[in-house]
Amino acid sequence: ISAAGAATRVELSKRQLAEALTRLLSDSEARQEMSVKAAALCDGRGLYRIGMRFEADIAAKDGEPVTLRPARKADSAIMLQWQSHPVTRRFSHNSEPPNSEAHHRWVAERLLDPDCLFNIVEHRGVPAGVVRLDRRPVDGRAEERMLVSILTAPEKHGVGIGNAALALARLLAPEAQFKAKVLPDNKASHALFKKAGYQWRRDAYYADPEIGRHEA
């Protein structure tokens, strides 16, 4: 790649290509690093993301469409604003405002994590929240489990962003069991997950996979 960002053509002889592949096959750490970086660039959910574009009925209370897109490093600043708002901190597991440096480092790590589906919620094409799905191992169960974390921009509360975002998250990962932890006093979040069809079981809200539910 040139300094101007234009791609330059690199030609390899058959011998050079064979030598490069041999080095790669013998370097498991390099292959693992390539795998992690590739997963960060492409989450393998392209088919589901295309399908979401046809769900015109998923909208906010004003009738305007709500969409999901993969989070980017540039979104870190607005997420920090949302996370620092007093209303957000009131219902967070950690009431202290996030440290700026630590927050940006955390976002960068999540974006590189292949077990994290990190999404920005948009309303009218403008960032309006975050929904994150983190894969978690489940002993003795065949399906995946994903821990759901959702944040609506403080200025978008009461607009219906959360309901739409959860519906889109289900379309993004229909094969997974969802789990959501909510603080006891967070009445709005309790109401949100109940409305979305989640069931309270022991310590959290759960929603079972959609795939295969109607196959019997």
Side-chain angles (χ1 to χ4, degrees):
I1 303 298
S2 69
T8 57
R9 183 176 179 180
V10 178
E11 293 188 5
L12 297 176
S13 66
K14 292 182 179 179
R15 179 178 178 180
Q16 289 173 317
L17 180 59
E19 290 175 348
L21 290 174
T22 299
R23 288 195 299 271
L24 183 60
L25 289 172
S26 63
D27 191 342
S28 60
E29 290 186 3
R31 296 199 307 275
Q32 178 63 24
E33 183 179 357
M34 290 175 65
S35 176
V36 170
K37 290 182 177 180
L41 291 173
C42 178
D43 60 19
R45 300 278 160 172
L47 178 63
Y48 296 132
R49 291 189 185 279
I50 291 173
M52 285 192 294
R53 292 294 179 177
F54 295 95
E55 296 293 335
D57 59 331
I58 297 181
K61 291 180 179 179
D62 59 4
E64 294 292 329
V66 176
T67 57
L68 289 187
R69 64 164 173 81
R72 300 186 287 261
K73 188 176 181 180
D75 297 313
S76 185
I78 194 169
M79 283 191 278
L80 179 59
Q81 292 180 27
W82 296 337
Q83 288 283 6
S84 301
H85 196 280
V87 173
T88 304
R89 300 299 352 135
R90 178 184 175 189
F91 295 116
S92 297
H93 292 279
N94 180 2
S95 61
E96 292 296 320
N99 171 272
S100 177
E101 182 179 347
H103 167 81
H104 293 309
R105 183 171 59 250
W106 175 85
V107 170
E109 291 172 352
R110 295 286 73 73
L111 291 175
L112 289 174
D113 186 351
D115 289 326
C116 176
L117 294 176
F118 204 168
N119 301 273
I120 291 293
V121 186
E122 291 191 336
H123 174 232
R124 299 180 179 178
V126 176
V130 176
V131 61
R132 199 178 77 247
L133 304 176
D134 293 296
R135 291 187 183 89
R136 292 290 184 266
V138 183
D139 294 334
R141 299 182 69 97
E143 70 267 12
E144 283 190 302
R145 176 180 292 167
M146 291 187 173
L147 186 62
V148 181
S149 300
I150 186 168
L151 167 65
T152 300
E155 69 274 13
K156 292 288 186 177
H157 285 184
V159 182
I161 302 298
N163 290 324
L166 289 181
L168 290 167
R170 173 48 76 193
L171 293 176
L172 184 62
E175 80 289 354
Q177 182 190 60
F178 286 176
K179 178 180 179 179
K181 294 185 176 181
V182 180
L183 292 177
D185 294 337
N186 193 344
K187 296 181 180 179
S189 288
H190 283 284
L192 172 66
F193 285 104
K194 288 178 181 178
K195 185 175 181 179
Y198 285 62
Q199 301 293 320
W200 180 264
R201 302 175 193 166
R202 299 181 302 278
D203 62 341
Y205 286 100
Y206 291 83
D208 292 326
E210 291 291 332
I211 286 182
R213 179 174 291 182
H214 306 294
E215 291 181 355

